[in-house]
Amino acid sequence: MFLSLSLSTLMLAQLVGAVLPDGRMHGNMMPRPFLPKVPSDPSQHPVTSRNGTVLPPYNTTYEFDQLIDHNNPSLGTFKQRFWHTYEFYEPGGPIILMTPGEANAQGYFTYLTNSTINGQIAQQQNASVVILEHRFFGFSNPRPDLTVESLKLLTLQQAIDDLVYFAQNVNLPMPGGDNVGPDAAPWILTGGSYSGALTSWTMVNQTGVFWAGYASSAVVEAILDFWEYFEPVRLNMPQNCSADVQAVIAHIDEVFTGTNQTAIQAIKNNFGLGDMTHLDDVAGALRNNLFDWQSLQVYSGPGTQFYEFCDALEVKNGQVAPESGWGLDHALDAWGTYWRETYLKELCGGLDPEDCLGTHDGTQSYYTDTEVDNANRSWFWMVCNFVGYLQEGAPEGHPSIVTRLVQPPYDLRQCKMMFPAAFPDTVNVQVNQTNELYKGWDVRLDRLFFANGMRDPWKDATVSATGVEVPSTDSQPIAVGDGFHCSDLLTRSGTVDATVRAVQTEALGFMKKWLASWKPQNKGKGTSAPRSVPVSTSQTLKEHAVKPINAFNGGVGSKK
């Protein structure tokens, strides 16, 4: 027993060690457009229905027999995990379905509760709520690994078809759960970020299955060179910090594209990266300070990682820099000191900078690890094939807070290194095909609510993108608050920021109106599938003991 436990602990430690403190597998990979976690964890609280029935805890895991390949049902099924509650449900009420998208969904069962917009809708409309894990994330895998051959089953269309097949066939673990399909009850599809886009794409592609949709920070437009990711950051961060970051980045780009090796080495040494080989990796690593903006929410305090970075640059001898900043000399020195003495260790843990930030060695486990529950690999497959969202330096002539040494070829090279069997020659991300199939910014649907935030770095891939004029209508409303990424999904955000609360209130009003017009079409058949039952704790531990649920949102970006 002791030996078994020790071996499991050792394997767990090795796996945890392969992940950076912020949950990424590598320090020069782009962050996923993940959903924010619910700050509180109510999983230990008793859950009771409206009639006083004691219900399973929110973190109870269920499994659904999902088709491995919707184009070839004869291949059979795989176990797709989901979480469910009928805390607020009353017969005739709707079913709310959400997938967290590109993450292990275990940490998102709190989206069942009224600490999120799902629970607010459920409480108002007497609904049941389901959180469904996305295929090839967490432990919902059609294949036993994440090799290229397996990942051929990870497509946007397969993900869409999963949602539809689940809605039409699941027997939910509640009274009458065998007769609440989309013909017998109104289904509401919700999501945020990528899963918000999936909400839009599903309703475009499979009309009539979901009666209504809620899409927060939904990145509906696939974009290859998504340099605009950093624009909301540049425009909304403290302007003295923005000015100094721009000055430092412009200087580094000028030196790194020159021939003065002494000056080049001095900059590398300034950031504690003197032994790194490739200048694009060195300059690209500095994007991490700007990536930290994505972790902010309207309730984030001044002690967060991003503002600590700006304070390191802009507070000198107790004085705050003017809006124009302190200028290049001080900013370069202050940024370097902060990186060497504080940030590098927090970002990379105990890893050597080359192992943490270098991208040119194809033998790194970052590229070769094909075990399941590697959200970074699964998401990068989708990036390289379908959506792009490459977060690069701005075009020449436009202000930039990140290096222009990092351009699409930098990330596309990593696609080839991670998936050589899929990309033996060139990488052709099918962004045009994605936008053609699922309409992108051209989406025009009935009963789809879009919610966006002005300070969201992903805003310019949503229907609220700068220069894009998608009309807000009663059938497809677009509400914009002063929030960050998916702020409106969290009830807490609405209690802190009145503009976010206004978005949530508007959404609740439309849901009430839309659901009042729904009429059942059920002929009394229901599903013949057996009722879903909880997966036992011992079974879950046995199956997944050596693969940790990685901390994909934690660490760098927020202070503990």
Side-chain angles (χ1 to χ4, degrees), residues 240-262:
N240 51 10
C241 189
S242 178
D244 277 341
V245 168
Q246 290 176 58
V248 171
I249 290 300
H251 174 70
I252 290 174
D253 281 0
E254 182 180 2
V255 172
F256 279 9
T257 54
T259 58
N260 187 334
Q261 296 301 314
T262 301

mmCIF file of all heavy atoms in Angstrom, residues 240-262:
data_model
loop_
_atom_site.group_PDB
_atom_site.id
_atom_site.type_symbol
_atom_site.label_atom_id
_atom_site.label_comp_id
_atom_site.label_asym_id
_atom_site.label_seq_id
_atom_site.Cartn_x
_atom_site.Cartn_y
_atom_site.Cartn_z
ATOM 1 N N ASN A 240 0.800 55.756 -18.192
ATOM 2 C CA ASN A 240 2.246 55.893 -17.999
ATOM 3 C C ASN A 240 2.941 54.551 -18.225
ATOM 4 O O ASN A 240 4.017 54.480 -18.841
ATOM 5 C CB ASN A 240 2.569 56.462 -16.616
ATOM 6 C CG ASN A 240 1.890 55.728 -15.470
ATOM 7 O OD1 ASN A 240 1.297 54.669 -15.652
ATOM 8 N ND2 ASN A 240 1.982 56.302 -14.260
ATOM 9 N N CYS A 241 2.326 53.492 -17.770
ATOM 10 C CA CYS A 241 2.872 52.148 -17.976
ATOM 11 C C CYS A 241 2.853 51.785 -19.459
ATOM 12 O O CYS A 241 3.827 51.238 -19.994
ATOM 13 C CB CYS A 241 2.061 51.152 -17.162
ATOM 14 S SG CYS A 241 2.743 49.479 -17.084
ATOM 15 N N SER A 242 1.767 52.114 -20.135
ATOM 16 C CA SER A 242 1.668 51.846 -21.573
ATOM 17 C C SER A 242 2.760 52.572 -22.345
ATOM 18 O O SER A 242 3.418 51.994 -23.219
ATOM 19 C CB SER A 242 0.288 52.275 -22.083
ATOM 20 O OG SER A 242 0.176 52.073 -23.472
ATOM 21 N N ALA A 243 2.983 53.841 -22.013
ATOM 22 C CA ALA A 243 4.000 54.642 -22.716
ATOM 23 C C ALA A 243 5.394 54.053 -22.513
ATOM 24 O O ALA A 243 6.181 53.939 -23.467
ATOM 25 C CB ALA A 243 3.949 56.085 -22.229
ATOM 26 N N ASP A 244 5.702 53.668 -21.293
ATOM 27 C CA ASP A 244 7.043 53.135 -21.020
ATOM 28 C C ASP A 244 7.233 51.750 -21.620
ATOM 29 O O ASP A 244 8.321 51.425 -22.125
ATOM 30 C CB ASP A 244 7.290 53.096 -19.505
ATOM 31 C CG ASP A 244 7.744 54.448 -18.963
ATOM 32 O OD1 ASP A 244 8.203 55.287 -19.762
ATOM 33 O OD2 ASP A 244 7.633 54.668 -17.741
ATOM 34 N N VAL A 245 6.204 50.919 -21.593
ATOM 35 C CA VAL A 245 6.305 49.597 -22.217
ATOM 36 C C VAL A 245 6.537 49.749 -23.718
ATOM 37 O O VAL A 245 7.390 49.057 -24.302
ATOM 38 C CB VAL A 245 5.037 48.757 -21.934
ATOM 39 C CG1 VAL A 245 4.998 47.517 -22.823
ATOM 40 C CG2 VAL A 245 4.987 48.347 -20.463
ATOM 41 N N GLN A 246 5.805 50.641 -24.354
ATOM 42 C CA GLN A 246 6.018 50.873 -25.785
ATOM 43 C C GLN A 246 7.443 51.323 -26.070
ATOM 44 O O GLN A 246 8.066 50.874 -27.043
ATOM 45 C CB GLN A 246 5.030 51.921 -26.292
ATOM 46 C CG GLN A 246 3.587 51.459 -26.343
ATOM 47 C CD GLN A 246 2.645 52.572 -26.756
ATOM 48 O OE1 GLN A 246 2.795 53.157 -27.831
ATOM 49 N NE2 GLN A 246 1.668 52.875 -25.914
ATOM 50 N N ALA A 247 7.971 52.203 -25.228
ATOM 51 C CA ALA A 247 9.331 52.705 -25.436
ATOM 52 C C ALA A 247 10.362 51.587 -25.301
ATOM 53 O O ALA A 247 11.296 51.467 -26.109
ATOM 54 C CB ALA A 247 9.626 53.826 -24.437
ATOM 55 N N VAL A 248 10.201 50.746 -24.291
ATOM 56 C CA VAL A 248 11.145 49.646 -24.083
ATOM 57 C C VAL A 248 11.066 48.640 -25.235
ATOM 58 O O VAL A 248 12.097 48.202 -25.756
ATOM 59 C CB VAL A 248 10.869 48.947 -22.733
ATOM 60 C CG1 VAL A 248 11.705 47.670 -22.610
ATOM 61 C CG2 VAL A 248 11.168 49.887 -21.568
ATOM 62 N N ILE A 249 9.862 48.283 -25.634
ATOM 63 C CA ILE A 249 9.699 47.297 -26.705
ATOM 64 C C ILE A 249 10.280 47.818 -28.019
ATOM 65 O O ILE A 249 10.957 47.083 -28.758
ATOM 66 C CB ILE A 249 8.216 46.922 -26.867
ATOM 67 C CG1 ILE A 249 7.736 46.110 -25.659
ATOM 68 C CG2 ILE A 249 7.980 46.159 -28.156
ATOM 69 C CD1 ILE A 249 8.488 44.807 -25.438
ATOM 70 N N ALA A 250 10.037 49.084 -28.337
ATOM 71 C CA ALA A 250 10.594 49.663 -29.560
ATOM 72 C C ALA A 250 12.120 49.616 -29.521
ATOM 73 O O ALA A 250 12.778 49.316 -30.532
ATOM 74 C CB ALA A 250 10.099 51.092 -29.731
ATOM 75 N N HIS A 251 12.693 49.900 -28.358
ATOM 76 C CA HIS A 251 14.152 49.863 -28.213
ATOM 77 C C HIS A 251 14.681 48.447 -28.376
ATOM 78 O O HIS A 251 15.679 48.223 -29.094
ATOM 79 C CB HIS A 251 14.534 50.425 -26.842
ATOM 80 C CG HIS A 251 15.994 50.295 -26.519
ATOM 81 N ND1 HIS A 251 16.972 51.024 -27.167
ATOM 82 C CD2 HIS A 251 16.643 49.486 -25.620
ATOM 83 C CE1 HIS A 251 18.153 50.689 -26.684
ATOM 84 N NE2 HIS A 251 17.985 49.769 -25.745
ATOM 85 N N ILE A 252 14.052 47.488 -27.727
ATOM 86 C CA ILE A 252 14.500 46.097 -27.833
ATOM 87 C C ILE A 252 14.418 45.612 -29.275
ATOM 88 O O ILE A 252 15.348 44.965 -29.783
ATOM 89 C CB ILE A 252 13.664 45.194 -26.904
ATOM 90 C CG1 ILE A 252 14.001 45.485 -25.439
ATOM 91 C CG2 ILE A 252 13.897 43.713 -27.220
ATOM 92 C CD1 ILE A 252 13.128 44.742 -24.443
ATOM 93 N N ASP A 253 13.334 45.924 -29.960
ATOM 94 C CA ASP A 253 13.203 45.505 -31.356
ATOM 95 C C ASP A 253 14.297 46.119 -32.221
ATOM 96 O O ASP A 253 14.861 45.459 -33.109
ATOM 97 C CB ASP A 253 11.822 45.905 -31.895
ATOM 98 C CG ASP A 253 10.723 44.944 -31.444
ATOM 99 O OD1 ASP A 253 11.037 43.987 -30.717
ATOM 100 O OD2 ASP A 253 9.558 45.161 -31.826
ATOM 101 N N GLU A 254 14.610 47.374 -31.957
ATOM 102 C CA GLU A 254 15.668 48.044 -32.739
ATOM 103 C C GLU A 254 17.024 47.395 -32.492
ATOM 104 O O GLU A 254 17.786 47.128 -33.432
ATOM 105 C CB GLU A 254 15.725 49.529 -32.375
ATOM 106 C CG GLU A 254 16.764 50.309 -33.170
ATOM 107 C CD GLU A 254 16.801 51.788 -32.799
ATOM 108 O OE1 GLU A 254 16.054 52.198 -31.902
ATOM 109 O OE2 GLU A 254 17.602 52.526 -33.415
ATOM 110 N N VAL A 255 17.334 47.110 -31.231
ATOM 111 C CA VAL A 255 18.622 46.497 -30.902
ATOM 112 C C VAL A 255 18.690 45.066 -31.426
ATOM 113 O O VAL A 255 19.693 44.655 -32.022
ATOM 114 C CB VAL A 255 18.852 46.526 -29.376
ATOM 115 C CG1 VAL A 255 20.091 45.706 -29.001
ATOM 116 C CG2 VAL A 255 19.003 47.958 -28.884
ATOM 117 N N PHE A 256 17.630 44.306 -31.243
ATOM 118 C CA PHE A 256 17.645 42.899 -31.632
ATOM 119 C C PHE A 256 17.670 42.704 -33.147
ATOM 120 O O PHE A 256 18.052 41.630 -33.618
ATOM 121 C CB PHE A 256 16.428 42.176 -31.038
ATOM 122 C CG PHE A 256 16.604 41.759 -29.592
ATOM 123 C CD1 PHE A 256 17.696 42.176 -28.853
ATOM 124 C CD2 PHE A 256 15.667 40.941 -28.968
ATOM 125 C CE1 PHE A 256 17.862 41.798 -27.526
ATOM 126 C CE2 PHE A 256 15.818 40.544 -27.650
ATOM 127 C CZ PHE A 256 16.919 40.981 -26.922
ATOM 128 N N THR A 257 17.240 43.687 -33.899
ATOM 129 C CA THR A 257 17.315 43.583 -35.365
ATOM 130 C C THR A 257 18.585 44.226 -35.907
ATOM 131 O O THR A 257 18.778 44.285 -37.127
ATOM 132 C CB THR A 257 16.083 44.229 -36.019
ATOM 133 O OG1 THR A 257 15.940 45.569 -35.539
ATOM 134 C CG2 THR A 257 14.816 43.440 -35.707
ATOM 135 N N GLY A 258 19.441 44.686 -35.007
ATOM 136 C CA GLY A 258 20.719 45.283 -35.401
ATOM 137 C C GLY A 258 21.858 44.292 -35.295
ATOM 138 O O GLY A 258 21.647 43.083 -35.144
ATOM 139 N N THR A 259 23.069 44.802 -35.335
ATOM 140 C CA THR A 259 24.260 43.937 -35.352
ATOM 141 C C THR A 259 25.165 44.139 -34.145
ATOM 142 O O THR A 259 26.204 43.494 -34.057
ATOM 143 C CB THR A 259 25.081 44.208 -36.630
ATOM 144 O OG1 THR A 259 25.449 45.598 -36.664
ATOM 145 C CG2 THR A 259 24.282 43.854 -37.881
ATOM 146 N N ASN A 260 24.794 45.007 -33.224
ATOM 147 C CA ASN A 260 25.624 45.289 -32.049
ATOM 148 C C ASN A 260 25.430 44.181 -31.017
ATOM 149 O O ASN A 260 24.500 44.217 -30.216
ATOM 150 C CB ASN A 260 25.258 46.655 -31.461
ATOM 151 C CG ASN A 260 26.201 47.078 -30.350
ATOM 152 O OD1 ASN A 260 26.809 46.250 -29.681
ATOM 153 N ND2 ASN A 260 26.325 48.378 -30.160
ATOM 154 N N GLN A 261 26.312 43.197 -31.043
ATOM 155 C CA GLN A 261 26.176 42.042 -30.171
ATOM 156 C C GLN A 261 26.325 42.396 -28.695
ATOM 157 O O GLN A 261 25.712 41.762 -27.826
ATOM 158 C CB GLN A 261 27.200 40.971 -30.556
ATOM 159 C CG GLN A 261 26.991 40.391 -31.949
ATOM 160 C CD GLN A 261 25.610 39.756 -32.103
ATOM 161 O OE1 GLN A 261 25.168 38.996 -31.228
ATOM 162 N NE2 GLN A 261 24.940 40.057 -33.205
ATOM 163 N N THR A 262 27.129 43.417 -28.412
ATOM 164 C CA THR A 262 27.295 43.846 -27.017
ATOM 165 C C THR A 262 25.981 44.396 -26.470
ATOM 166 O O THR A 262 25.558 44.068 -25.359
ATOM 167 C CB THR A 262 28.388 44.922 -26.917
ATOM 168 O OG1 THR A 262 29.624 44.386 -27.420
ATOM 169 C CG2 THR A 262 28.578 45.360 -25.473
#
